[in-house]
Amino acid sequence: MSILIRGGTIVNHDHSRRGDVLIDGETIVALGGKLDAPKGAEIIDAGGCYVMPGGVDPHTHMELMFMGMVTADDFEWGTKAALSGGTTMIVDFCIPAPGASMLAAYQDWRRKAEKAAGDYGFHMAVTSWSRKIWEEMETVTKTYGINTFKHFMAYKGALMVNDDELYNSFLRCAELGAMPLVHAENGDVVFRLQEQLIAKGVTGPEGHAYSRPPEVEGEATNRAIMIADMAGTPLYVVHTSCRQSHEAIKRAREAGKRVFGEPLIQFLVLDEDEYRNKNWDHAARRVMSPPFRPKEHQDSLWAGLQSGSLQVVATDHCAFTTEQKRTGAKDFTKIPNGTGGLEDRMPVLWAAGVNTGRLTKEEFVAATSANPARILNIFPKKGVIAVGSDADVVVWDPKATKTITARKQVSRIDYNVFEGFKCTGLPMVTLNRGRIAWREGDLRAKKGGGKYIERPAFPAVHVANSTYKELTAPRAVEREVTP
Ligand code: URP
Ligand code: ZN
Ligand code: ZN
């Protein structure tokens, strides 16, 4: 089956030009000024539209069991939501319970992801340290096509790892050609701040933000960068939310360290005032970690995207319902952390970034597609409109408008943190490997139509004396969150 996308402007991260895009099966087979349509080809008229690579969201949590609850969007509805907003691939976090096998967790995630309607890959989380984990990391990298390992520096007593674990794991990443990712918040300090706030009677969602100030993120980001440097590995800092963390990343890059930063679309347009909303549900729905920040941090994040010191925009889509959030009605530390955004990432970034002149349309493509694909080592299969690339294409109508509302969303949660946000610039058609997944409000993607995308290892770094090392101290037992 052939599809010819005719008369649009092709926008990649490095240049734009008028041209047609010819797709055969799952692949882009020709680009050109005026291409002839093969017999029987379906024609998509892209006049007045931009033709861009499908979005890659590098950070999602589908059907994740976290803080005793399972997120409402599974791989089917999460990827359908993604496709309706122009995102054709997600990279989800495979998270074994501390002490559990990575290989078993991988099988579990593959099973859950069979329902996916769009393409997906995985990161693996390192939630404990042992000889078994050290050995399994090799299979994960070499056999399962996962080249990134996430480390939680927060969620004490649950997923959090300490510096000893970080350093050992980062060394292992270096020798396997994998890249460590960090959730950078100082979990020990967060734990004490939570205790202090609860003791003072601060139990509402605003306590969540007060217990996780920018300093805990700045400190952890800086620490992770230094540990990665000592282990000789690059580093990717997930959900970068504040100036302190951005500045640590920027400093590291200026010193020649290979460090990447990932602001979320939520952090770019929403701020800490959301937690002071008089309506408890409104505030609790926005509880995630790190939290939304005072407005002035947004300027730093935008500047990072503009100057290149921050590279990608993600969502951390981890969709808990209002009912699930109410578990923390009397204690903010019990509110499950996470919120939605997958179908809104590209329209909101276009409206707040391109329409305001902060980002060019090429920079938009870099942040939403090309950079995640390059950093995660799936470029040029994903992230670019080029001959031979997967036919993941968004026909973007810069004049189309909508006001975001939960009533009309694809995601299964009962609210939207961007409720009322006005977007100009929307996907008219989304194609995933040559199949039309979304066309002008018509969701055509099918459960099970997504494909697992392997991400090969990077060139490995020689690590002297790379043998398994036992930890030097036992793990703490106090808990920030329920595992
Ligand atoms: O609050 C968040 N971010 N929930 C998802 C888990 C994580 O830390 O990424
Ligand atoms: Zn995290
Ligand atoms: Zn996350």
Side-chain angles (χ1 to χ4, degrees), residues 136-174:
E136 288 185 344
M137 286 174 78
E138 184 165 11
T139 309
V140 168
T141 310
K142 294 192 177 155
T143 313
Y144 294 165
I146 298 177
N147 63 24
T148 38
F149 290 89
K150 180 170 178 181
H151 303 76
F152 292 90
M153 300 168 79
Y155 307 136
K156 184 176 163 83
L159 302 174
M160 181 170 131
V161 285
N162 64 24
D163 292 353
D164 197 4
E165 291 164 308
L166 281 184
Y167 181 62
N168 279 305
S169 177
F170 284 14
L171 278 177
R172 186 66 169 148
C173 286

Side-chain angles (χ1 to χ4, degrees), residues 93-94 96 102 122-127 129 133-142 146-152 166 169-170 172-174 176-183 235-236 238 376 455 458:
F93 286 84
C94 183
M102 283 181 171
F122 298 147
H123 308 284
M124 179 62 69
V126 177
T127 55
W129 191 246
I133 292 296
W134 184 85
E135 284 168 359
E136 288 185 344
M137 286 174 78
E138 184 165 11
T139 309
V140 168
T141 310
K142 294 192 177 155
I146 298 177
N147 63 24
T148 38
F149 290 89
K150 180 170 178 181
H151 303 76
F152 292 90
L166 281 184
S169 177
F170 284 14
R172 186 66 169 148
C173 286
L176 291 172
M179 178 166 62
L181 275 46
V182 283
H183 172 134
L235 182 75
Y236 181 110
V238 303
L376 301 180
R455 299 185 300 106
F458 305 94

Side-chain angles (χ1 to χ4, degrees), residues 12 20 105 151-152 155 180 183 240 248 307 310 342 361 400 438 453:
N12 275 319
D20 299 346
H151 303 76
F152 292 90
Y155 307 136
H183 172 134
T240 306
S307 65
L310 299 173
L342 244 177
K361 53 191 188 311
W438 168 265
I453 306 296

Side-chain angles (χ1 to χ4, degrees), residues 202-282:
V202 181
T203 57
E206 71 283 9
H208 177 73
Y210 301 152
S211 66
R212 314 182 94 93
E215 288 70 21
V216 299
E217 187 181 340
E219 184 282 325
T221 304
N222 204 54
R223 179 159 38 102
I225 287 169
M226 297 307 167
I227 294 174
D229 192 40
M230 289 182 277
T233 170
L235 182 75
Y236 181 110
V237 183
V238 303
H239 43 47
T240 306
S241 77
C242 63
R243 179 178 57 75
Q244 287 82 341
S245 178
H246 170 214
E247 283 176 354
I249 294 166
K250 189 155 150 289
R251 261 196 319 275
R253 291 176 66 87
E254 281 165 4
K257 300 180 175 64
R258 200 170 300 283
V259 180
F260 305 105
E262 174 202 81
L264 306 181
I265 186 63
Q266 296 91 322
F267 297 150
L268 291 165
V269 298
L270 301 171
D271 65 74
E272 194 192 58
D273 278 348
E274 303 280 355
Y275 301 116
R276 286 185 278 269
N277 194 295
K278 292 278 177 289
N279 178 337
W280 189 94
D281 285 346
H282 177 105

Side-chain angles (χ1 to χ4, degrees), residues 59 61 66 150 152 155 183 239 288-289 316 318 337-338:
H59 189 153
H61 302 281
F66 183 51
K150 180 170 178 181
F152 292 90
Y155 307 136
H183 172 134
H239 43 47
M288 63 172 300
S289 295
D316 194 2
C318 183
N337 286 203

